[in-house]
């Protein structure tokens, strides 16, 4: 009996142990599979999101690179170009709240895919006006064409011009006017950019929070830094594409390029601006494809299953235990989400850290958006560079510095396990030193080009004037000249004249770009006796001193861009960690909305209006009216452009100091938290360090009432 009992006991033990062993084996296998799925899924999403960021950044930066091309092609001022640029932000703000709040509860990858398709449609719409507008026509002196009729630049008597030439010219002008009356094709560019903004809306709030939800805490900052770094590659290719297209004539393939009399440095030159938008549109379509195959949810990493920064989709409105058997899709109701909307807004703006950081970001983005939007124009006007070279320099030198800065910020956060308080200090320090470097650019400008009647008198005396009367002098008083004609020539005295007629030139030889003008009475006033009073087509180039200043500008600009960009990733982490975990998408959405409304929309407009005040000579439309600016006062342009940037940047630094001050007051050291809890949590110092961002108790429980601590 005893032996039988022992055998039964052993048999019972075996039958009990065996299932436990199988269960343990299955659990380990399941955990291993879950870990692989989680890592693989988040990395696939990371790759797809990075390509979307690349595509949207490419199209956005390409728009910046074509600002001057669009301005000249549609004959519009900088202020109107600013409105077109700001329409992207308007498109964002139309649906940003709906997308960031409701979209976070739905299938985030598919919503991002839909946004990419809308973005591509808008990009194609921007390019459409080129195919419906007539050929680009610029102001040109008649004898510079390949015409067999020789006309004297200084028209002392209209009888010199054959009647047939006058009739044909007037007929062409009248035909062009009839066509332009019903044509405001720049509106399509505005609408296309608006559509681009709508399509781009879900990418940032839904994409960043998806990574933050399903990546480990230590990897989240690094992944976000990687996404932003890859996104910077987009602007590199965007500006390089802009450089390539700016070299090609706008009507390439439709006109004989040998008949074009202007060069890349001419204020009337327009490149093939439309070509890049077609390429960007195709990339946006390709970027949408992966998101249709990604899952709605990913397994959460083991280190974050009990984390206070849990997935916002797992901690939403309905947390009733009676409903825990129902699926998530059945629990979420649109009406219930809507009821929680206003309390969520109140909660966000009641958080002093979030509110102050939002205010600081608004001011700083006003500064940065205005500076970036008109940087190509600034380089062109200040240093006399062509659009092609300007875009090439920005894309190849400036943008990589920004990418390296953003990546460095993310790497520093990961390597040194910087707390949220440390992130705020890093963000403030980068802004302070960045704007300090920006001050030196005031001393790195070029003087105005010598333009007779506008920046110098006809006698060669420096004198800036925007009055039309100063265009006329005794040397051209015997000529019948138009004050609106802009077809500059460069005299042998180094002074540029607005037209051959205003230079008092009596004869010309050659055609097209090789036209040479002789017996120019105004050139002879300041020319040395050994030189003839002749001039050639095109404006005079700026001196060697300006080329040196341009090199200094590039060096300081690169260092400044790198310094300012270091604070990008720490700023994101600060934003994500200073609010309730379940409101991350909503907080990012509100943040993006406010930045769009109060920075993205107005900054290009008032920067453009301010820049327009420095214009010395406006172009004229074929049917009358003011066109695009042909010449700016370089000194005034520099002071207004850099001055606005510096004033706004300084204001943002003061607000960032306030953010740091509030954080220090609200920051509760971990040791104090452990003592206050009476030893309820026995967590080692090493474990608390390993918690990285989650170990930062920066906001007291009055601001995070539902925050679950791990003490």
């Amino acid at each position: 009996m005893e032996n039988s009992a022992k055998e039964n006991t052993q048999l019972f033990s075996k039958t009990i142990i065996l299932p436990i062993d199988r269960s343990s084996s299955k659990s380990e296998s399941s955990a291993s599979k879950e870990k692989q799925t989680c890592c693989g899924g988040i990395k696939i999403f990371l790759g797809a999101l990075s390509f979307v960021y690349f595509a949207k950044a490419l199209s956005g930066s390409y728009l910046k690179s074509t600002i001057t091309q669009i301005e000249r092609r549609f004959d519009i001022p900088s202020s109107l170009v600013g409105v077109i640029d700001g329409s992207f932000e308007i498109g964002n703000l139309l649906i940003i709240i709906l997308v960031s709040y409701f979209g976070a509860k739905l299938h985030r990858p598919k919503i991002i895919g839909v946004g990419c398709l809308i973005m591509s449609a808008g990009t194609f719409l921007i390019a459409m006006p080129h195919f419906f507008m007539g050929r680009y026509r610029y102001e040109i002196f008649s004898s510079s064409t390949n015409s067999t009729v020789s006309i004297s630049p200084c028209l002392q008597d209209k009888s010199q011009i054959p009647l047939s030439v006058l009739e044909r010219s007037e007929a062409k002008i009248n035909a062009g006017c009839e066509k332009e009356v019903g044509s405001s094709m720049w509106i399509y560019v505005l609408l296309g950019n608006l559509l681009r903004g709508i399509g781009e809306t879900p990418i940032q709030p839904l994409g960043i929070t998806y990574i933050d939800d399903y990546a480990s805490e230590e990897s989240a900052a690094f992944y976000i830094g990687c996404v932003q770094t890859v996104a910077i590659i987009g602007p590199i290719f965007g500006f390089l594409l802009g450089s390539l297209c700016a070299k090609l004539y706008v009507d390439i393939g439709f006109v004989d390029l040998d008949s074009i009399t202007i060069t890349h440095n001419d204020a009337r030159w327009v490149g093939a601006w439309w070509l890049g938008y077609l390429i960007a549109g195709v990339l946006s379509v390709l970027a949408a494809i992966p998101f249709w195959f990604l899952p709605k949810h990913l397994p959460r990493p083991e280190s974050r299953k009990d984390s206070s920064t849990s997935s916002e989709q797992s901690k939403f409105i309905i947390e009733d235990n009676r409903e825990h058997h129902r699926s998530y899709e059945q629990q979420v109701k649109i009406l219930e989400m809507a009821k929680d909307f206003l309390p969520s807004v109140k909660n966000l703006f009641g958080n002093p850290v979030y509110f102050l950081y939002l205010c600081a970001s608004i001011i700083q983005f006003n500064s940065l958006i205005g500076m970036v939007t008109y940087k190509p124009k600034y380089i062109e006007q200040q240093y006399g560079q062509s659009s092609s070279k300007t875009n090439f320099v920005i894309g190849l030198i400036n943008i990589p510095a920004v990418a390296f800065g953003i990546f460095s910020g993310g790497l520093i956060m990961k390597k040194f396990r910087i707390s949220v308080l440390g992130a705020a200090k890093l963000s403030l320090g980068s802004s302070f030193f960045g704007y300090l470097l920006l001050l030196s650019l005031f001393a790195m400008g070029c003087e105005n080009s010598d333009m007779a009647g506008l920046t110098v008198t006809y006698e060669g005396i420096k004198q800036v004037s925007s009055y039309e009367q100063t265009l006329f002098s005794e040397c051209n008083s015997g000529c019948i000249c138009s004050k609106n004609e802009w077809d500059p020539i460069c005299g042998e005295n180094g002074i540029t004249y607005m037209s051959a007629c205003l230079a008092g030139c009596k004869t010309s030889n050659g055609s097209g770009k090789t036209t040479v003008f002789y017996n120019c009475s105004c050139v002879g006033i300041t020319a040395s006796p050994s030189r003839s009073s002749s001039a050639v087509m095109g404006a005079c180039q700026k001196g060697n001193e300006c080329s040196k200043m341009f090199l200094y500008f590039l060096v300081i600009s690169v260092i400044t861009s790198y310094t300012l960009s270091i604070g990008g990733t720490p700023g994101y982490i600060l934003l994500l960690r200073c609010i309730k975990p379940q409101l991350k998408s909503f907080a990012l959405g509100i943040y993006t909305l406010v930045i769009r409304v109060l920075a993205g929309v107005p900054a290009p407009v008032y920067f453009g209006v301010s820049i327009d005040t420095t214009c010395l000579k406006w172009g004229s439309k074929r049917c009358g009216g003011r066109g695009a600016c042909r010449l700016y006062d370089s000194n005034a342009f520099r002071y207004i452009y850099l001055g606005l940037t510096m004033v706004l940047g300084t204001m943002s630094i003061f607000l960032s100091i306030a953010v740091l001050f509030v954080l220090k007051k609200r920051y509760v050291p971990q040791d104090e938290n452990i003592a206050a809890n009476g030893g309820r949590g026995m967590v080692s110092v090493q474990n608390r360090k390993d918690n990285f961002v989650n170990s930062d108790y920066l906001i007291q429980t009055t601001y995070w009432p539902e925050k679950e601590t791990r003490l």
Side-chain angles (χ1 to χ4, degrees):
M1 288 291 292
E2 290 178 1
N3 290 337
S4 178
K6 287 180 181 178
E7 288 175 4
N8 289 337
T9 302
Q10 290 175 359
L11 182 62
F12 177 76
S13 299
K14 288 179 182 178
T15 56
I16 295 300
I17 292 169
L18 284 173
I20 291 174
D21 289 340
R22 288 195 198 99
S23 175
S24 176
S25 176
K26 287 180 181 178
S27 177
E28 289 176 5
S29 176
S30 175
S32 177
K33 284 183 180 179
E34 184 177 315
K35 186 176 181 181
Q36 289 177 0
T37 306
C38 173
C39 293
I42 195 63
K43 287 179 180 178
I44 292 172
F45 182 85
L46 179 66
L49 187 67
S50 297
F51 186 67
V52 170
Y53 263 71
F54 169 81
K56 81 180 183 70
L58 183 143
S59 60
S61 60
Y62 183 76
L63 178 69
K64 302 290 186 188
S65 74
T66 57
I67 285 291
T68 53
Q69 310 292 313
I70 291 173
E71 184 178 326
R72 294 169 184 173
R73 183 65 184 94
F74 296 98
D75 256 333
I76 53 178
S78 296
S79 55
L80 191 51
V81 172
V83 173
I84 292 174
D85 186 74
S87 64
F88 177 85
E89 320 298 348
I90 296 173
N92 262 266
L93 68 90
L94 288 176
I95 61 168
I96 184 66
I97 291 183
L98 295 176
V99 168
S100 61
Y101 189 72
F102 294 110
K105 323 307 169 188
L106 305 173
H107 200 302
R108 284 183 277 187
K110 284 189 178 179
I111 293 176
I112 293 174
V114 171
C116 291
L117 294 178
I118 296 174
M119 194 165 58
S120 67
T123 309
F124 288 132
L125 183 60
I126 294 176
M128 195 180 72
H130 171 75
F131 301 98
F132 295 97
M133 296 176 71
R135 300 287 170 261
Y136 174 55
R137 299 175 184 174
Y138 52 88
E139 301 153 278
I140 187 172
F141 173 60
S142 301
S143 67
S144 62
T145 62
N146 295 325
S147 174
T148 56
V149 180
S150 178
I151 305 173
S152 171
C154 181
L155 303 177
Q156 297 179 355
D157 189 352
K158 282 192 178 182
S159 60
Q160 296 178 19
I161 307 175
L163 187 59
S164 59
V165 174
L166 281 175
E167 288 174 348
R168 286 200 302 269
S169 177
E170 290 176 2
K172 286 181 180 179
I173 292 175
N174 291 334
C177 286
E178 290 174 5
K179 189 173 184 179
E180 287 185 0
V181 167
S183 177
S184 297
M185 299 298 284
W186 59 267
I187 293 176
Y188 289 96
V189 179
L190 186 145
L191 293 176
N193 206 32
L194 184 79
L195 205 57
R196 272 189 63 245
I198 293 174
E200 191 265 354
T201 303
I203 296 173
Q204 181 186 5
L206 302 188
I208 294 296
T209 53
Y210 194 90
I211 290 177
D212 195 59
D213 282 344
Y214 300 117
S216 63
E217 289 175 354
E218 292 189 2
S219 299
F222 182 69
Y223 284 166
I224 292 172
C226 287
V227 169
Q228 292 182 328
T229 302
V230 172
I232 296 298
I233 299 176
I236 293 176
F237 283 89
F239 276 101
L240 291 179
L241 182 62
S243 174
L244 175 63
C245 293
K247 278 186 178 180
L248 307 174
Y249 187 64
V250 60
D251 293 321
I252 186 171
F254 299 96
V255 297
D256 181 12
L257 297 181
D258 293 332
S259 65
I260 306 301
T261 60
I262 54 177
T263 62
H264 302 94
N265 289 319
D266 198 291
R268 296 163 293 174
W269 176 268
V270 177
W273 61 275
W274 50 274
L275 185 60
Y277 290 109
L278 298 180
I279 297 172
V282 172
L283 286 177
S284 296
V285 172
L286 295 176
I289 296 174
F291 289 96
W292 296 99
F293 303 98
L294 286 167
K296 182 177 181 180
H297 301 285
L298 286 174
R300 304 195 72 224
E302 290 291 332
S303 61
R304 299 196 65 174
K305 285 190 175 179
D306 297 324
S307 171
S308 61
T309 54
S310 59
S311 169
E312 58 187 283
Q313 288 191 326
S314 65
K315 295 180 66 179
F316 190 48
I317 296 166
I318 300 174
E319 295 181 355
D320 194 341
N321 290 332
R322 294 171 299 178
E323 301 286 329
H324 73 279
H325 293 295
R326 299 175 60 186
S327 66
Y328 176 82
E329 287 77 12
Q330 291 173 323
Q331 292 181 29
V332 175
K333 304 295 182 183
I334 298 297
L335 182 61
E336 291 168 329
M337 288 192 289
K339 285 180 181 178
D340 198 52
F341 179 76
L342 289 179
S344 298
V345 174
K346 184 178 179 181
N347 189 282
L348 282 179
F349 285 97
N351 185 331
V353 177
Y354 180 83
F355 181 74
L356 283 173
Y357 182 75
L358 182 63
C359 292
S361 297
I362 290 170
I363 304 299
Q364 186 174 34
F365 272 97
N366 268 276
S367 169
L368 296 178
I369 290 172
M371 181 177 68
V372 170
T373 300
Y374 293 101
K375 190 169 189 176
K377 188 182 193 67
Y378 177 76
I379 294 175
E380 289 174 36
Q381 296 295 330
Q382 190 70 209
Y383 301 103
Q385 304 297 323
S386 67
S387 295
S388 178
K389 185 176 180 179
T390 298
N391 292 329
F392 182 80
V393 165
I394 293 176
L396 205 62
I397 299 176
N398 217 241
I399 302 299
V402 176
F404 188 52
I406 291 176
F407 182 77
S408 299
L411 197 62
I412 291 170
M413 290 288 294
K414 178 177 171 65
K415 185 174 179 62
F416 297 101
R417 298 175 181 270
I418 294 177
S419 66
V420 179
L421 188 61
K425 292 178 181 178
L426 182 59
S427 180
L428 173 62
S430 70
S431 296
F432 176 77
F433 288 108
Y435 284 108
L436 199 62
L437 286 167
L438 205 62
L439 270 174
S440 61
L441 295 182
F442 280 98
M444 298 178 187
C446 293
E447 294 298 322
N448 286 310
S449 299
D450 290 341
M451 176 70 74
L454 294 174
T455 60
V456 296
T457 63
Y458 279 88
E459 290 75 25
I461 302 171
K462 300 285 185 182
Q463 179 182 317
V464 177
S465 175
S466 58
Y467 294 106
E468 295 177 345
Q469 291 81 0
T470 57
L471 294 173
F472 301 100
S473 178
E474 287 186 12
C475 61
N476 57 30
S477 59
C479 303
I480 304 173
C481 305
S482 170
K483 61 185 179 183
N484 296 322
E485 182 184 0
W486 181 271
D487 193 12
I489 62 170
C490 179
E492 285 197 348
N493 55 2
I495 296 177
T496 302
Y497 297 87
M498 208 172 79
S499 68
C501 182
L502 288 172
C505 300
K506 304 299 187 299
T507 58
S508 64
N509 186 25
S511 62
K513 297 176 185 178
T514 60
T515 304
V516 180
F517 301 93
Y518 299 101
N519 299 324
C520 303
S521 55
C522 294
V523 176
I525 296 176
T526 55
S528 61
S530 60
R531 294 185 177 181
S532 61
S533 303
S534 63
V536 295
M537 290 291 294
C540 299
Q541 298 297 314
K542 294 198 174 187
N544 293 330
E545 189 66 27
C546 192
S547 299
K548 292 180 182 178
M549 284 295 181
F550 181 52
L551 292 177
Y552 299 149
F553 168 82
L554 289 180
V555 172
I556 297 298
S557 179
V558 166
I559 298 173
T560 302
S561 298
Y562 172 76
T563 306
L564 287 171
S565 301
I566 289 177
T569 303
Y572 256 106
I573 297 302
L574 172 61
L575 181 67
L576 290 171
R577 297 292 180 256
C578 75
I579 40 87
K580 292 182 180 180
Q582 66 267 34
L583 294 177
K584 283 186 296 187
S585 267
F586 189 48
L588 268 178
I590 291 292
Y591 176 82
T592 306
L593 168 68
V594 176
I595 295 297
R596 305 290 192 199
V597 175
L598 300 181
V601 175
V605 177
Y606 67 75
F607 262 79
V609 171
S610 301
I611 289 171
D612 281 341
T613 61
T614 68
C615 184
L616 295 177
K617 178 59 183 171
W618 292 95
S620 299
K621 295 183 179 180
R622 294 178 61 82
C623 307
R626 196 171 75 175
C629 185
R630 300 302 188 196
L631 181 70
Y632 290 90
D633 182 349
S634 295
N635 293 325
F637 196 147
R638 181 170 68 255
Y639 295 141
I640 284 182
Y641 174 76
L642 295 178
L644 269 175
T645 303
M646 280 302 306
V647 168
L648 293 169
T650 304
M651 291 170 62
S652 73
I653 288 174
F654 282 115
L655 285 170
S656 297
I657 293 173
V659 170
L660 191 60
F661 179 75
V662 173
L663 271 177
K664 283 186 175 181
K665 287 187 66 177
R666 302 286 174 182
Y667 187 83
V668 181
Q670 293 173 10
D671 293 336
E672 292 181 14
N673 260 290
I674 294 173
N677 280 282
R680 278 181 292 171
M682 304 298 293
V683 184
S684 68
V685 174
Q686 183 60 41
N687 285 338
R688 281 186 276 113
K689 283 184 178 179
D690 290 340
N691 287 336
F692 186 48
V693 178
N694 202 42
S695 66
D696 298 317
Y697 298 93
L698 69 151
I699 308 296
Q700 294 180 6
T701 54
T702 53
Y703 294 102
W704 288 20
E706 296 155 13
K707 180 174 173 64
E708 302 169 2
T709 63
R710 302 181 68 179
L711 294 175

